[in-house]
Amino acid sequence: QVLTQSSIMASYSIPLLALLVAASASSESLHGPFTDDFVDFLQRSPQRNEYALSAYTKYDADGTFGGRMMNESGKISLHPVLFVHGNSDSALFHSDSATGWSESVRHFKENGHMGSSLYGLTYGTRNINHSMTNSISCTNLLGLRSFVEAILEYTQAEKIDIVAHSMGVSLARKAIQGGKVGQSPYLHSHLPTIISQVDAFVAIAGANYGMCLCLMDGLQEQPACGQVPSLSGGTG
């Protein structure tokens, strides 16, 4: 099974999409950062979770979210949902140009989800003036993939739902589909697919075939536009 652009856009569940449509992204975050319980879990496997732990320490409280609160116990009954933001955005509301998933998270919580089933982290710059320096690097790809694996282990869930926007769609798509990654013997040469572990993938305005902005003269060699030699599939 191969995830094409058309199949990705069709791979959603109606209830999940309905929650997203109802939520706007404009208000300040009250949902981050990772909870102490989740951080403790991540620290048990520091090598695998280096990417997530780095985001936790690098960004503010609006840079990460997810995990059990002190008053949460027992099995997490709902599929965990991972939110992957787009170019120069943030996991949660950071500024007027990096609004993140705050209102989506709020709406999901109002409709049955706990914080222990909602996850996200920030990657790259959150300054829109530097958006052309962001790219789908092996670091971001493998870091996101490890984060998915950590969420599944932490929640003991068989499947995860992933909601992504813009560059996050291209990043999450490759993390799910797997395949050839990198040329160096020190990187994974082939990443196994996890399609069977993803129940719903909601792809919002993904740049699977690149960005229209990259057709402009002088931008083709920018990191956000150019082909990354160490990553099969290029950037979006």
Side-chain angles (χ1 to χ4, degrees):
Q1 182 181 5
V2 176
L3 291 179
T4 63
Q5 185 182 31
S6 58
S7 66
I8 284 175
M9 295 307 293
S11 297
Y12 59 83
S13 63
I14 296 302
L16 184 63
L17 186 60
L19 287 176
L20 287 166
V21 170
S24 63
S26 62
S27 105
E28 189 174 354
S29 154
L30 299 173
H31 311 297
F34 291 150
T35 64
D36 290 344
D37 186 71
F38 189 45
V39 172
D40 288 344
F41 167 82
L42 294 174
Q43 290 174 336
R44 294 173 205 161
S45 302
Q47 185 173 1
R48 181 194 67 180
N49 299 320
E50 179 182 1
Y51 187 80
L53 290 168
S54 176
Y56 174 73
T57 57
K58 179 178 180 180
Y59 299 100
D60 307 330
D62 51 31
T64 60
F65 61 92
R68 285 186 177 91
M69 300 293 290
M70 291 185 63
N71 60 346
E72 291 184 61
S73 61
K75 181 177 175 57
I76 298 170
S77 58
L78 296 174
H79 283 171
V81 182
L82 169 62
F83 296 86
V84 187
H85 66 75
N87 194 348
S88 299
D89 207 341
S90 176
L92 296 167
F93 185 95
H94 178 69
S95 67
D96 289 341
S97 62
T99 54
W101 298 102
S102 292
E103 282 304 305
S104 295
V105 171
R106 185 191 309 277
H107 194 79
F108 271 60
K109 286 182 176 179
E110 291 173 352
N111 286 271
H113 279 266
M114 302 287 284
S116 54
S117 61
L118 304 172
Y119 296 84
L121 53 70
T122 301
Y123 65 91
T125 177
R126 294 190 284 189
N127 185 338
I128 196 170
N129 295 321
H130 300 158
S131 60
M132 299 308 292
T133 64
N134 274 338
S135 66
I136 303 174
S137 66
C138 282
T139 298
N140 288 337
L141 171 63
L142 297 176
L144 180 66
R145 174 61 176 265
S146 295
F147 190 43
V148 171
E149 294 169 354
I151 294 169
L152 286 169
E153 182 181 343
Y154 177 71
T155 61
Q156 294 296 294
E158 294 183 0
K159 293 181 181 289
I160 190 171
D161 298 328
I162 298 179
V163 180
H165 171 243
S166 189
M167 184 179 282
V169 172
S170 305
L171 183 61
R173 178 176 183 259
K174 184 64 176 176
I176 295 168
Q177 186 174 357
K180 184 179 179 182
V181 180
Q183 311 264 337
S184 166
Y186 302 106
L187 294 174
H188 295 272
S189 59
H190 188 275
L191 196 64
T193 183
I194 54 168
I195 291 175
S196 63
Q197 293 175 278
V198 178
D199 185 49
F201 180 24
V202 179
I204 305 169
N208 292 299
Y209 293 101
M211 298 185 294
C212 294
L213 183 66
C214 294
L215 296 174
M216 297 177 62
D217 291 340
L219 294 182
Q220 288 85 354
E221 300 304 318
Q222 291 292 317
C225 293
Q227 179 84 10
V228 178
S230 62
L231 177 60
S232 173
T235 64

